[in-house]
Structure formats: structure tokens, C-alpha cells
Amino acid sequence: MSEIKKNSRNTENAPKSPFSTQTVAFSHYNNFSAQLPIDPKTGEIVSGAIKEQAKQCLTNIQAIVESIGHVMDDAVKLTVFLKDISDIEAVDEVYKTFFKNELPTRTTVQVAALPLEGALIQIDALISNGEGTTPQKALDLVKVTRNTENAPKSIHAQSVAFSHYNNLSAQLPIDPQSGEIVAGGVKEQAEQCLKNIKAILESIDHVMNDVVKTTIFLKDIADADAVSEVLAKFYPSYVPARTIVSASALPLYALVQIDVAVSHGDGTPPQLPEDARYLVIEANSAANAPKTAYSHTVAYSHYNHIAGQLPLVAETNQIVNGDVKEQAVQCLNNIKAIVESIDHNMDDIVKINIQLKNVADITAVNEIYTSFFSGDLPARTVVGVSAIPLNALVQIDAVVSNSEGTPA
């Protein structure tokens, strides 16, 4: 096994947190912590409305990007969290000015709350890392941006491939022919989202079974079971890791939006032709973590994708007794059990995503959070959501380094 080393880095030119690292590079990707509209010189939210706040978030991302010898056009995926979904047009005006070439893929969602009072927006990012991490050799890998007429188009790319992953923009239930939301309820909308994903994948010679992680944003968390029925038609055998996130609102006021990460065995130039043998996707579930209808973890190439963990006790599949601190401990214990079941440890995590029913609970979560790590903390994104499955107070998912890779 080649011991590829995590590269955790911070810059004084962007806001720092004692609970996360600004960027964690592993293999051919840099995983960024979500950036709030904080002026790093004052430590305060910038004055102004949504445009000024969006500019500050992107300026912070740019500062981190440049501190590691990259440029904004190395971004492959951005996720924008808004307090008001109607602000997206104003954000787009600012957003486009930060990129010189084709825009990266993007997911946009309105959440119930952001971690700092007064923040209207938060943005996290996934950045290409052609130089790789030790002991990989530097490669000037080429980002491959693609679109198809068979799926809805927007200002951002439908798919950006880099190294061994395809990063798709989240898909809304839009009929690409009409450009309108499809008629019907959440099942019809979920099916259209998945049809759009399938169309994008087929246009780049991939299939639905190449998906390694699915994130489902729902306007009503009670729709989760109905959406799962639809998902089962698209994944009849293999089921990717999954996280369900409650959205206060979605673009075009849709009921559902679906985001996926996709394997890319053929790689991007100048990787060697043998990469086209398609690396194996390894789906696993741990006996000592709560049982689910989907995979606990899916490994592909140099990353493991952990499904969203609820504060369920594995033996009973019931929510643990206690408040948010006990629930956060249980979520992290479940992640730890999954990570250890695949011969990894918590310090192999490169990115953590936390959803909270009450964003003010982050202070209580932080009291126990660092005790799960002994080395540099992973990058992190925290949002407040209006609901979590099973009425839980917290849900946590993770991306874990996979230095052994997966076999060809």
C-alpha cells in the first residue's frame, strides 16, 4: 500500500477556525472548509448585502487557492448555501467574475441557518490537485468540462472530470426540452432529477452504477421514503452511499434536488492509458454501525465516501438518549466504526459535513468534536437545517482518504 500523505494547510489571508483546516489535500483533490463572508483582518462579517457577502466568501476561497499555488479555474465543484434562494441571481453576478474559463459544477441550496449570525451565504469548494500528495509525482492533469443537450443547461458546467472522479452539478427536476419543472409530486420530480443525471452520465460513457455518493436535498424531509422508492429503480442492485439533507428552499422552488459524485476510471490526461481499465468500486457496510438500505461507505480510487450518519445505536437502530452532544458523539462513533471496518482511522478523514437542527448547537458539538482526532483536523462544512431524518438533532457525513486505492 502506498502511503499517500494528507496535506493540511491554512493561510493568514482567509479566516481560521480551531475546529477545521482550511484545505486538506489528498491524492488529486483539495477539500476546502466552507467559507463564510468573514473579513480575515477583522474576523467580522463584511458590511453590505448578499453581493458583498458572496464576494467575500469567494475572496476567502481565492486566498486559500492561491496560498497553495492554484488558481480559481482549478475549482471543479462549489456548493453554495443561501439564507434566501432568491439571492442566487445576485450571487451569479459576482460568481462569474472569479473565473476566467468555464465555470465549475455547482450545487445551490437554501438552508435554515448558517453558522454565524448575519451571514447570508456560505460556500465550500473542491479544487483539483494535479501535483498530488506525497509520494505521488506531480502531473499537470487536465480538467475536462462537458455538457449534453439531453440534460438542463445553466451558467455552470454539468460535469467536470478530473483525475478519477466526475463532479456533477446538482440536478433539478427540469425537463431539458421545455426547461420547466416537470408536472407531478416529489416522485415525478425525483425521477426527472435522476433521468437528468443518467443523461449526463451516458453522454460521457458512464452508467448509474458508476455513482459512488448521492446527496438528496428535500424541501420536505417526510418525502425521503417516496424518493427512496424512485432511487431503487435506478439502482436495482448496487446502492451508493447516501445523505439526505433538508432544504428550506431549492432553486426554482423544486421539491427535490440530487447531487452525485461519480467514478471516472478512464481518468483525465495525461494519465496513462491503462487507467481506462476502470478501477473497482468497493461498497461496504459495517456490522457495528446502524443498518441502512444503502452502503455505509463506497471506496473508489483514493477516496472513501461515508453515508450520512444519524445518532442511531447500532444494536437497537434507535436514536441514542440525550441531547445534541450525545447525539453528535453517536454520529461520530458510527463514522469511526465504519472507518475502522475498512482498516482506516479518523485521522484519515479529509472532509466532514455537519447538519444541525439548531445551528447554535455547534458550540456543544465542538466540545466533543476534536476528541475524535489526534492529528490535523479535516476540512469542515456546517449548516443549520429545518429537519433531519428520524427527528434527529444532528447528522454527519465524511470523505476519507484511501491510500491503498481500489484495484483495477
PDB file of all heavy atoms in Angstrom, residues 1-5 26 131-138 403:
ATOM      1  N   MET A   1       0.843  -1.198   0.000  1.00  0.00           N
ATOM      2  CA  MET A   1       0.000   0.000   0.000  1.00  0.00           C
ATOM      3  C   MET A   1       0.874   1.243   0.000  1.00  0.00           C
ATOM      4  O   MET A   1       1.769   1.373   0.822  1.00  0.00           O
ATOM      5  CB  MET A   1      -0.912  -0.004   1.229  1.00  0.00           C
ATOM      6  CG  MET A   1      -1.808   1.221   1.342  1.00  0.00           C
ATOM      7  SD  MET A   1      -3.003   1.094   2.682  1.00  0.00           S
ATOM      8  CE  MET A   1      -2.039   1.638   4.070  1.00  0.00           C
ATOM      9  N   SER A   2       0.660   2.169  -0.920  1.00  0.00           N
ATOM     10  CA  SER A   2       1.399   3.419  -0.984  1.00  0.00           C
ATOM     11  C   SER A   2       0.796   4.396   0.027  1.00  0.00           C
ATOM     12  O   SER A   2      -0.391   4.696  -0.013  1.00  0.00           O
ATOM     13  CB  SER A   2       1.300   3.992  -2.395  1.00  0.00           C
ATOM     14  OG  SER A   2       1.919   5.244  -2.459  1.00  0.00           O
ATOM     15  N   GLU A   3       1.631   4.894   0.943  1.00  0.00           N
ATOM     16  CA  GLU A   3       1.118   5.777   1.983  1.00  0.00           C
ATOM     17  C   GLU A   3       1.091   7.214   1.487  1.00  0.00           C
ATOM     18  O   GLU A   3       2.019   7.986   1.693  1.00  0.00           O
ATOM     19  CB  GLU A   3       1.961   5.667   3.253  1.00  0.00           C
ATOM     20  CG  GLU A   3       1.354   6.422   4.407  1.00  0.00           C
ATOM     21  CD  GLU A   3       2.221   6.395   5.651  1.00  0.00           C
ATOM     22  OE1 GLU A   3       3.208   5.656   5.688  1.00  0.00           O
ATOM     23  OE2 GLU A   3       1.882   7.127   6.593  1.00  0.00           O
ATOM     24  N   ILE A   4       0.026   7.551   0.781  1.00  0.00           N
ATOM     25  CA  ILE A   4      -0.144   8.928   0.307  1.00  0.00           C
ATOM     26  C   ILE A   4      -0.493   9.798   1.511  1.00  0.00           C
ATOM     27  O   ILE A   4      -1.368   9.459   2.301  1.00  0.00           O
ATOM     28  CB  ILE A   4      -1.247   9.012  -0.763  1.00  0.00           C
ATOM     29  CG1 ILE A   4      -0.907   8.092  -1.939  1.00  0.00           C
ATOM     30  CG2 ILE A   4      -1.416  10.433  -1.250  1.00  0.00           C
ATOM     31  CD1 ILE A   4      -2.015   7.957  -2.939  1.00  0.00           C
ATOM     32  N   LYS A   5       0.215  10.892   1.675  1.00  0.00           N
ATOM     33  CA  LYS A   5       0.055  11.699   2.876  1.00  0.00           C
ATOM     34  C   LYS A   5      -0.932  12.844   2.673  1.00  0.00           C
ATOM     35  O   LYS A   5      -0.909  13.535   1.661  1.00  0.00           O
ATOM     36  CB  LYS A   5       1.419  12.245   3.309  1.00  0.00           C
ATOM     37  CG  LYS A   5       2.395  11.157   3.738  1.00  0.00           C
ATOM     38  CD  LYS A   5       3.730  11.738   4.145  1.00  0.00           C
ATOM     39  CE  LYS A   5       4.695  10.620   4.547  1.00  0.00           C
ATOM     40  NZ  LYS A   5       6.041  11.140   4.867  1.00  0.00           N
ATOM     41  N   PHE A  26      -5.443  15.584  -0.626  1.00  0.00           N
ATOM     42  CA  PHE A  26      -5.113  14.163  -0.632  1.00  0.00           C
ATOM     43  C   PHE A  26      -5.250  13.668  -2.055  1.00  0.00           C
ATOM     44  O   PHE A  26      -6.255  13.943  -2.712  1.00  0.00           O
ATOM     45  CB  PHE A  26      -6.027  13.350   0.294  1.00  0.00           C
ATOM     46  CG  PHE A  26      -5.642  11.901   0.333  1.00  0.00           C
ATOM     47  CD1 PHE A  26      -4.566  11.488   1.090  1.00  0.00           C
ATOM     48  CD2 PHE A  26      -6.295  10.968  -0.438  1.00  0.00           C
ATOM     49  CE1 PHE A  26      -4.164  10.167   1.099  1.00  0.00           C
ATOM     50  CE2 PHE A  26      -5.909   9.640  -0.447  1.00  0.00           C
ATOM     51  CZ  PHE A  26      -4.833   9.236   0.336  1.00  0.00           C
ATOM     52  N   GLU A 131      -0.666  18.200  -8.666  1.00  0.00           N
ATOM     53  CA  GLU A 131       0.624  17.784  -8.117  1.00  0.00           C
ATOM     54  C   GLU A 131       0.501  16.556  -7.212  1.00  0.00           C
ATOM     55  O   GLU A 131       1.490  15.899  -6.897  1.00  0.00           O
ATOM     56  CB  GLU A 131       1.290  18.932  -7.346  1.00  0.00           C
ATOM     57  CG  GLU A 131       0.531  19.425  -6.123  1.00  0.00           C
ATOM     58  CD  GLU A 131      -0.479  20.505  -6.424  1.00  0.00           C
ATOM     59  OE1 GLU A 131      -0.988  20.556  -7.566  1.00  0.00           O
ATOM     60  OE2 GLU A 131      -0.778  21.301  -5.521  1.00  0.00           O
ATOM     61  N   GLY A 132      -0.728  16.234  -6.829  1.00  0.00           N
ATOM     62  CA  GLY A 132      -0.930  15.082  -5.956  1.00  0.00           C
ATOM     63  C   GLY A 132      -0.343  15.327  -4.576  1.00  0.00           C
ATOM     64  O   GLY A 132       0.072  16.437  -4.236  1.00  0.00           O
ATOM     65  N   THR A 133      -0.306  14.295  -3.755  1.00  0.00           N
ATOM     66  CA  THR A 133       0.311  14.376  -2.434  1.00  0.00           C
ATOM     67  C   THR A 133       1.375  13.291  -2.330  1.00  0.00           C
ATOM     68  O   THR A 133       1.309  12.267  -3.012  1.00  0.00           O
ATOM     69  CB  THR A 133      -0.743  14.213  -1.318  1.00  0.00           C
ATOM     70  OG1 THR A 133      -1.588  13.105  -1.619  1.00  0.00           O
ATOM     71  CG2 THR A 133      -1.609  15.451  -1.192  1.00  0.00           C
ATOM     72  N   THR A 134       2.335  13.509  -1.467  1.00  0.00           N
ATOM     73  CA  THR A 134       3.455  12.585  -1.287  1.00  0.00           C
ATOM     74  C   THR A 134       2.960  11.154  -1.106  1.00  0.00           C
ATOM     75  O   THR A 134       2.032  10.938  -0.340  1.00  0.00           O
ATOM     76  CB  THR A 134       4.273  13.012  -0.052  1.00  0.00           C
ATOM     77  OG1 THR A 134       4.625  14.389  -0.204  1.00  0.00           O
ATOM     78  CG2 THR A 134       5.524  12.175   0.101  1.00  0.00           C
ATOM     79  N   PRO A 135       3.534  10.139  -1.795  1.00  0.00           N
ATOM     80  CA  PRO A 135       4.704  10.210  -2.678  1.00  0.00           C
ATOM     81  C   PRO A 135       4.345  10.260  -4.160  1.00  0.00           C
ATOM     82  O   PRO A 135       5.125   9.825  -4.994  1.00  0.00           O
ATOM     83  CB  PRO A 135       5.425   8.906  -2.341  1.00  0.00           C
ATOM     84  CG  PRO A 135       4.280   7.939  -2.132  1.00  0.00           C
ATOM     85  CD  PRO A 135       3.165   8.747  -1.496  1.00  0.00           C
ATOM     86  N   GLN A 136       3.175  10.753  -4.514  1.00  0.00           N
ATOM     87  CA  GLN A 136       2.812  10.840  -5.932  1.00  0.00           C
ATOM     88  C   GLN A 136       3.698  11.846  -6.662  1.00  0.00           C
ATOM     89  O   GLN A 136       4.180  12.815  -6.072  1.00  0.00           O
ATOM     90  CB  GLN A 136       1.350  11.262  -6.083  1.00  0.00           C
ATOM     91  CG  GLN A 136       0.359  10.163  -5.742  1.00  0.00           C
ATOM     92  CD  GLN A 136      -1.066  10.648  -5.889  1.00  0.00           C
ATOM     93  OE1 GLN A 136      -1.344  11.813  -5.699  1.00  0.00           O
ATOM     94  NE2 GLN A 136      -1.966   9.750  -6.208  1.00  0.00           N
ATOM     95  N   LYS A 137       3.859  11.635  -7.944  1.00  0.00           N
ATOM     96  CA  LYS A 137       4.587  12.585  -8.779  1.00  0.00           C
ATOM     97  C   LYS A 137       3.616  13.640  -9.288  1.00  0.00           C
ATOM     98  O   LYS A 137       2.443  13.366  -9.505  1.00  0.00           O
ATOM     99  CB  LYS A 137       5.229  11.859  -9.961  1.00  0.00           C
ATOM    100  CG  LYS A 137       6.333  10.878  -9.568  1.00  0.00           C
ATOM    101  CD  LYS A 137       6.888  10.180 -10.797  1.00  0.00           C
ATOM    102  CE  LYS A 137       7.969   9.183 -10.409  1.00  0.00           C
ATOM    103  NZ  LYS A 137       8.500   8.453 -11.594  1.00  0.00           N
ATOM    104  N   ALA A 138       4.146  14.848  -9.471  1.00  0.00           N
ATOM    105  CA  ALA A 138       3.308  15.927  -9.995  1.00  0.00           C
ATOM    106  C   ALA A 138       2.901  15.624 -11.427  1.00  0.00           C
ATOM    107  O   ALA A 138       3.704  15.197 -12.243  1.00  0.00           O
ATOM    108  CB  ALA A 138       4.056  17.247  -9.931  1.00  0.00           C
ATOM    109  N   SER A 403      -5.577   5.559   0.785  1.00  0.00           N
ATOM    110  CA  SER A 403      -4.240   5.497   0.190  1.00  0.00           C
ATOM    111  C   SER A 403      -3.983   4.218  -0.569  1.00  0.00           C
ATOM    112  O   SER A 403      -3.232   4.196  -1.532  1.00  0.00           O
ATOM    113  CB  SER A 403      -3.171   5.699   1.270  1.00  0.00           C
ATOM    114  OG  SER A 403      -3.281   4.722   2.278  1.00  0.00           O
TER     115      SER A 403
END
